[in-house]
Amino acid sequence: MASIYSLSDFLDLLRRRAGVILLVTFLGCVASLWIALSQEQVYSSTEVIQITRPKIAGELARSTVDGSSARRIQLIEQRLMARGTILEIVDQLNLYADRPGLLASEIVPLVRQSVTLTGTAAAREGMSDDGAISVLTITAVMPTREQAQAVAREFSRRTIALSQSTRLEQAQETLTFFTEKEKALIDRIAALEEEVADFRYANAVTLPGAIEMRGAEIAAINESLLELAREEIQMRKAAEEAVATQREGYARRIQAETEAKQEALEAQRRLLEERREVLEASLELTPEVDRQLANYDRRMEQMQSELEIMTQRRAEAEVGFRLEASRQGERLTVIEAASLPDYAVGSGRKATALKGGLVSLILGVVVAFLLDLRHPVLRTSAQMTRETGLSPVVSIPVLEPRRRGLLTRLLRARTTVARAAPKT
């Protein structure tokens, strides 16, 4: 360390380089005072918003606004920090009016750095974190007290308004979606019913239960035919018995009556058989028709199931929309309004000047040390003994002749001239 080996050497350095140290310290103090006086003071104002839970329990009436409050607050912050929103707030509050030369590309970063939104997470339930936020803090740092308060309140107002509008908009979109889906399903079911009716009419299947009805009618016709056959057999037996046991005239009359009844029964049998043939022909559907009808039934059941689900969800979405419209869901309320700050934030001018003076003094000592290091000299016998191991016998101090002033030298020169002049 050059000539510094002890505290006495360091004090000797301070004594020898006192002029340099004082000069550097003086210049540093002047620079510090200039910086402190030119330093712009800023003020900070904070508004606190509380995020309250829904008034009605979710098990009773569930809101359709999905997602955590932290994600919604993040989306709101992104919209607030958008270029258009920031310029609108600057024009509304007349910010940076004293700096007309600022461009829009310079104002936007300034506002983004001056306004911060900080969320405080809600207490966890067990070991899980649902991403809920309980408190949102909005802090604005501005050149004046009034601007800091106005900016904090404006960002708070817009945050609450955006939260309400986004929740209401999401609930409205959910309700609109399920309402349109329900209406679309109703229209599809009506169209399918019309298509099925046209198909049944084209294939002689007019009603969904026509096949069962025709089958029952065919069974009834078969029973009637059997009954006619039994009657015919009985009449024949009666005629044969009359011919065998009765007189010829009576037998002939019975036989004539039997033939007349047989003709009537034969006519009835033909009518019934013709009707049965018509019904059987109408029931002779192709396998393709059967498959198509089964396909229609499956589609109808599927659509009916979807319609029941859509109706239920549309009702839930309507309840969620009513909750948001009446502000019964999650709400943002101001619990601590932004106030006028009393003092400027950050280090004050006095602290800046003191810090600058201290740094200047340290810098002066460093400069003195560097100057001493540039020209290392053994100045004491102790230094020589440490550096060379030799003990000096005699220490001769440096004797510098005292320089006389200009006036003293002029008087001395005049006296010398007077003594050398000849006497008259």
Side-chain angles (χ1 to χ4, degrees):
M1 295 180 59
S3 57
I4 300 176
Y5 294 94
S6 61
L7 179 61
S8 60
D9 293 339
F10 179 71
L11 296 177
D12 181 65
L13 171 66
L14 297 180
R15 180 185 58 79
R16 287 183 288 102
R17 303 293 184 180
V20 175
I21 294 174
L22 292 177
L23 178 61
V24 174
T25 303
F26 174 75
L27 295 177
C29 289
V30 172
S32 300
L33 288 175
W34 181 78
I35 293 174
L37 293 176
S38 61
Q39 183 179 5
E40 182 180 2
Q41 291 183 329
V42 293
Y43 298 87
S44 176
S45 183
T46 301
E47 186 152 317
V48 181
I49 299 175
Q50 184 181 24
I51 303 175
T52 58
R53 303 296 297 171
K55 293 183 178 180
I56 302 176
E59 293 77 8
L60 300 177
R62 187 177 300 276
S63 175
T64 56
V65 180
D66 196 10
S68 63
S69 56
R71 183 176 296 276
R72 285 194 296 274
I73 293 300
Q74 185 180 19
L75 295 176
I76 291 174
E77 181 180 0
Q78 292 173 357
R79 295 179 63 177
L80 286 175
M81 293 302 174
R83 178 186 176 91
T85 305
I86 290 178
L87 294 178
E88 181 182 349
I89 294 175
V90 170
D91 292 339
Q92 178 181 345
L93 301 179
N94 197 21
L95 302 178
Y96 305 107
D98 55 339
R99 302 169 65 180
L102 282 178
L103 300 176
S105 58
E106 298 173 342
I107 293 176
V108 173
L110 285 177
V111 176
R112 287 174 178 171
Q113 294 175 1
S114 302
V115 180
T116 56
L117 280 75
T118 306
T120 302
R124 295 185 177 182
E125 297 181 358
M127 298 300 295
S128 61
D129 188 0
D130 57 356
I133 292 180
S134 60
V135 174
L136 178 65
T137 304
I138 300 177
T139 303
V141 180
M142 286 292 158
T144 64
R145 296 180 175 90
E146 293 76 12
Q147 287 184 356
Q149 182 188 36
V151 170
R153 288 187 174 180
E154 180 63 21
F155 271 86
S156 174
R157 184 188 67 81
R158 289 177 177 260
T159 299
I160 296 174
L162 280 176
S163 176
Q164 294 176 359
S165 62
T166 52
R167 291 183 65 88
L168 187 61
E169 181 181 355
Q170 186 174 353
Q172 177 66 53
E173 290 178 354
T174 304
L175 177 59
T176 303
F177 172 78
F178 286 116
T179 301
E180 292 178 351
K181 289 288 291 183
E182 182 184 20
K183 184 178 180 301
L185 282 173
I186 292 174
D187 295 340
R188 289 174 57 190
I189 290 174
L192 182 60
E193 289 176 349
E194 185 177 354
E195 183 179 352
V196 171
D198 295 339
F199 180 80
R200 289 180 178 276
Y201 179 79
N203 292 274
V205 185
T206 56
L207 296 174
I211 297 177
E212 291 78 7
M213 293 173 60
R214 291 176 184 179
E217 188 177 357
I218 291 174
I221 291 174
N222 291 331
E223 290 292 335
S224 299
L225 291 174
L226 290 175
E227 185 66 26
L228 291 176
R230 284 195 294 269
E231 290 182 4
E232 186 178 0
I233 292 172
Q234 290 176 359
M235 285 188 299
R236 285 180 181 177
K237 288 183 178 180
E240 290 177 356
E241 289 178 359
V243 171
T245 59
Q246 300 295 332
R247 292 178 299 176
E248 182 178 357
Y250 179 75
R252 191 180 302 113
R253 183 170 57 83
I254 293 299
Q255 189 174 6
E257 291 176 359
T258 301
E259 291 177 357
K261 289 181 180 180
Q262 286 181 349
E263 290 179 359
L265 293 175
E266 185 66 24
Q268 291 180 13
R269 184 172 55 252
R270 285 196 299 268
L271 289 175
L272 291 174
E273 289 177 350
E274 290 176 359
R275 177 59 181 169
R276 186 178 61 180
E277 291 176 359
V278 172
L279 292 175
E280 290 177 349
S282 64
L283 292 177
E284 291 179 356
L285 302 177
T286 61
E288 182 63 28
V289 174
D290 292 336
R291 286 194 297 269
Q292 187 64 29
L293 288 174
N295 186 24
Y296 282 140
D297 292 338
R298 286 192 299 270
R299 288 173 58 187
M300 183 64 69
E301 292 177 359
Q302 183 179 2
M303 287 185 183
Q304 291 290 348
S305 300
E306 292 180 2
L307 180 60
E308 291 178 0
I309 295 174
M310 288 300 116
T311 302
Q312 180 181 359
R313 293 186 177 178
R314 192 264 305 161
E316 294 175 355
E318 186 173 358
V319 171
F321 175 73
R322 292 184 182 275
L323 285 175
E324 298 300 332
S326 59
R327 297 193 62 186
Q328 300 296 321
E330 182 182 278
R331 292 168 294 116
L332 273 65
T333 56
V334 177
I335 60 175
E336 183 180 338
S339 60
L340 284 174
D342 297 327
Y343 305 100
V345 297
S347 58
R349 295 178 178 179
K350 184 184 295 185
T352 301
L354 291 176
K355 291 178 182 178
L358 180 61
V359 172
S360 301
L361 178 60
I362 296 174
L363 182 61
V365 175
V366 172
V367 171
F369 174 75
L370 293 177
L371 291 176
D372 203 64
L373 184 63
R374 185 177 180 184
H375 302 287
V377 177
L378 298 177
R379 302 181 186 278
T380 63
S381 59
Q383 292 178 0
M384 185 172 181
T385 302
R386 282 192 298 265
E387 294 293 335
T388 63
L390 301 176
S391 299
V393 179
V394 179
S395 297
I396 302 175
V398 179
L399 300 176
E400 295 182 356
R402 187 176 63 180
R403 297 181 180 178
R404 297 181 176 86
L406 179 61
L407 181 60
T408 304
R409 291 199 300 271
L410 290 176
L411 290 176
R412 182 178 291 247
R414 184 177 180 181
T415 304
T416 303
V417 172
R419 288 178 181 178
K423 297 182 179 179
T424 54

